[in-house]
Amino acid sequence: MSFSIQVFFPIIIMLLLVLLIIIIAISTYKMKNRFGWNTERSSRWLLSGYMVVLLVAAGLAFFIPDQTDSKLQTATIDDVPNLRNAAANGNVASIDSRFIEKKWKFSYGEAKLQLKTRGGELNGIAVFVEKVSADAKIEAIHYQTPTIINRSIDITAYIPRLNVDLTGDVLAVELPEPVDLKFSGFTREFPIAQFTNRKWEKWMDDSFLHRGEQIVYLRIPDDIALSIEQGMVVE
Amino acid sequence: MSLAMPGLASIVKKQYAFKLKAYMGVFTPLIVLQLTGILFSMNGVGSTGGGLFNSSFQVNYYSADLVIAFTILWGFINAILITTKDYKEDDFSFVTNRLSNNLANVLFLFTASFIGGITAILTGYLLRVLMYFVFDFEPAIDVGLDVDPPGFVLGIFAAILFVFLGSSFGYLVGSLVQLHKIFIAILPVVIIGSLLFLGRDQIYPLLWIGEFYFQESSFLLFLGKIFVTAGLVFAASSLLSNRQEVRK
């Protein structure tokens, strides 16, 4: 069995706190007896002052806006289509246009085309290819459904966007630079959360994060011979 | 009823009134402890996160949970302290017996828990205000804003009761120690030892206790659990202090 010193930190902190309480309590008491200080009166003043500060803070707290970040929208996960299913069934037309992030159109005269990813792996982003009539242009559509945390806050706007680029005979899905998104928020104290419907541990449960979907839907004329980069999954 | 034998209720009332005045000092460590708790809470009390396509996200949470935990600890130690000799000497100025003294102590501890619980919940606002107005912290998510007033009031009562529960156990420990000083050494050994011993067999009593009190979502059941537990613990402490009288 091996222990790391960190295991003992909470215990050490707790012992220090216990010591702190005892020292303050005893010294207050001793001061009263030894020096005849009226510690009751000063304690009462201290407590009253502290209560006033807390009440003022409670009043001021109502001036803190719920959400200071305008990029964050509230959203629900209702009416969100399943992009993969729609695309796999050739049903992209049924996807509401509000889920379209961007469209690209490229004129292309060559007979061969390579499909690649750039800047990393797809990481859950699905790429679909639909063969269309020979005279059409190459078309790429990026769909994305919202990613919602805490059941209502849409953080999709923070997710970096991919790009589709045609250079030479390479059609590339360019993945964005990865970012570490950091959010912070206040949560209700456990005795309050305990009797409301929202459990205090709920931000740890699965429903906290609803991951959105991203797909790239490509329409490529059927007279172009398409070669797909090894390792890239295309449906 | 003669003048020499005043009723229990009036003795308890007098003693309680005296204790309220004389023990005001117990609130100084409470304030220091709560402010320390706020300081620690500024680092966040929890976080959750995960991968998101090729990026990642993390959410940090802030609340006064730690302050409430500290306040429960304060209730526990506070109750031990009022059983000590220093405090008990004050009681000799009264026509008193162990029962009235115990009852007055319980009333005082409840009052202290009341103040402790309310201030602990209110520190949540102080934390928010400090972080927002002083440290320019931008909250993206406020999980709990939609708590209705009744839910909030229940929460305050729950905090008070948690502190009271902590106090009851402190009072028991204090009474045991007053019975014999050897308990200062025995109690930590027995408690920590048995936790470690049970832990080896994958039995975690603290987890069970946590679930029993902290995950009870019905307030009435919660109230019952706390009052029954605290009542039993205080009764046990009272019995112990009666033995003490016999012993002396």
Side-chain angles (χ1 to χ4, degrees):
Chain A
M1 208 172 4
S2 70
F3 281 114
S4 72
I5 189 76
Q6 279 99 328
V7 175
F8 294 104
F9 278 165
I11 300 171
I12 294 168
I13 289 174
M14 211 163 106
L15 286 177
L16 285 175
L17 289 172
V18 170
L19 217 67
L20 183 79
I21 304 174
I22 295 174
I23 289 170
I24 299 171
I26 289 177
S27 57
T28 326
Y29 200 86
K30 290 271 151 84
M31 265 196 278
K32 176 177 109 181
N33 288 351
R34 212 167 285 170
F35 308 110
W37 285 9
N38 193 340
T39 48
E40 286 94 43
R41 215 167 76 183
S42 52
S43 294
R44 189 173 305 136
W45 276 108
L46 195 64
L47 183 64
S48 313
Y50 182 57
M51 296 274 254
V52 169
V53 169
L54 290 179
L55 288 172
V56 169
L60 280 176
F62 286 96
F63 293 99
I64 300 175
D66 302 5
Q67 273 175 28
T68 48
D69 197 329
S70 57
K71 234 172 149 183
L72 290 169
Q73 305 281 321
T74 51
T76 55
I77 49 172
D78 305 332
D79 306 325
V80 172
N82 185 320
L83 297 181
R84 271 170 193 267
N85 278 356
N89 299 332
N91 240 343
V92 276
S94 69
I95 301 172
D96 194 298
S97 61
R98 70 194 160 108
F99 300 112
I100 296 178
E101 288 290 344
K102 201 169 177 183
K103 284 182 175 180
W104 295 264
K105 272 189 180 170
F106 307 101
S107 302
Y108 190 67
E110 308 297 318
K112 282 183 180 170
L113 180 69
Q114 296 179 59
L115 184 57
K116 283 187 175 173
T117 56
R118 235 179 249 148
E121 287 178 29
L122 286 169
N123 266 315
I125 301 168
V127 178
F128 291 85
V129 174
E130 184 192 350
K131 291 280 185 180
V132 289
S133 61
D135 52 345
K137 285 182 171 176
I138 294 176
E139 197 182 350
I141 309 169
H142 175 214
Y143 294 92
Q144 171 157 241
T145 51
T147 290
I148 293 163
I149 55 173
N150 197 35
R151 293 198 188 85
S152 63
I153 297 153
D154 189 344
I155 59 165
T156 320
Y158 280 95
I159 301 171
R161 298 295 187 264
L162 58 79
N163 187 35
V164 178
D165 177 62
L166 179 70
T167 328
D169 65 344
V170 175
L171 181 67
V173 176
E174 294 178 335
L175 291 145
E177 282 287 309
V179 289
D180 289 320
L181 299 171
K182 283 198 181 355
F183 302 96
S184 46
F186 295 117
T187 173
R188 273 293 169 204
E189 285 70 30
F190 68 87
I192 298 176
Q194 189 169 348
F195 306 104
T196 48
N197 294 330
R198 318 173 126 226
K199 291 271 177 227
W200 63 290
E201 67 272 66
K202 80 171 189 48
W203 48 265
M204 293 182 198
D205 70 21
D206 294 338
S207 60
F208 177 81
L209 169 71
H210 171 82
R211 276 194 176 79
E213 281 182 287
Q214 286 194 53
I215 64 166
V216 177
Y217 197 84
L218 301 170
R219 290 199 177 95
I220 293 172
D222 58 7
D223 59 343
I224 297 174
L226 187 68
S227 64
I228 295 163
E229 181 188 31
Q230 212 173 12
M232 184 179 180
V233 181
V234 174
E235 294 164 58
Chain B
M1 193 186 293
S2 72
L3 274 177
M5 288 280 287
L8 180 67
S10 75
I11 301 175
V12 171
K13 215 172 117 183
K14 261 190 199 155
Q15 246 179 315
Y16 167 69
F18 168 77
K19 280 171 201 276
L20 261 191
K21 243 182 93 179
Y23 296 175
M24 273 312 280
V26 302
F27 295 108
T28 312
L30 171 75
I31 297 168
V32 174
L33 208 62
Q34 290 192 341
L35 293 176
T36 313
I38 292 179
L39 204 69
F40 284 172
S41 303
M42 287 184 172
N43 220 1
V45 292
S47 74
T48 183
L52 207 54
F53 305 108
N54 64 342
S55 292
S56 64
F57 83 102
Q58 196 188 344
V59 186
N60 279 314
Y61 282 94
Y62 298 83
S63 82
D65 281 355
L66 200 63
V67 181
I68 296 167
F70 281 11
T71 307
I72 297 172
L73 184 70
W74 164 82
F76 179 80
I77 298 175
N78 186 24
I80 296 179
L81 285 174
I82 70 161
T83 62
T84 56
K85 219 173 128 203
D86 276 352
Y87 284 81
K88 268 204 312 205
E89 273 169 11
D90 293 331
D91 295 327
F92 289 125
S93 47
F94 284 93
V95 178
T96 173
N97 59 28
R98 293 280 173 208
L99 180 65
S100 71
N101 184 42
N102 279 322
L103 286 174
N105 277 341
V106 171
L107 282 178
F108 171 74
L109 287 177
F110 189 78
T111 313
S113 307
F114 194 83
I115 294 174
I118 290 182
T119 49
I121 291 287
L122 288 179
T123 54
Y125 292 110
L126 184 59
L127 177 72
R128 285 164 168 77
V129 167
L130 282 177
M131 295 211 64
Y132 184 75
F133 291 106
V134 182
F135 296 101
D136 280 337
F137 163 89
E138 300 241 315
I141 302 151
D142 201 327
V143 176
L145 260 193
D146 51 352
V147 173
D148 50 341
F152 183 74
V153 172
L154 285 187
I156 288 183
F157 277 112
I160 293 166
L161 290 171
F162 278 132
V163 181
F164 187 57
L165 187 69
S167 303
S168 71
F169 282 102
Y171 199 66
L172 179 66
V173 170
S175 302
L176 275 170
V177 170
Q178 290 310 306
L179 196 66
H180 203 291
K181 291 277 181 281
I182 197 162
F183 282 108
I184 296 178
I186 291 180
L187 281 174
V189 172
V190 169
I191 294 170
I192 297 171
S194 56
L195 285 180
L196 286 176
F197 185 75
L198 290 170
R200 282 196 337 185
D201 294 335
Q202 314 286 321
I203 302 167
Y204 304 105
L206 287 181
L207 219 64
W208 180 81
I209 293 169
E211 263 174 41
F212 186 73
Y213 296 108
F214 294 94
Q215 291 190 10
E216 176 57 66
S217 54
S218 150
F219 188 76
L220 279 180
L221 274 178
F222 171 78
L223 198 73
K225 282 176 178 180
I226 298 273
F227 273 126
V228 168
T229 315
L232 287 174
V233 174
F234 277 124
S237 314
S238 187
L239 284 176
L240 284 172
S241 64
N242 281 338
R243 276 185 56 114
Q244 196 183 345
E245 189 180 38
V246 173
R247 197 168 58 94
K248 279 182 177 167

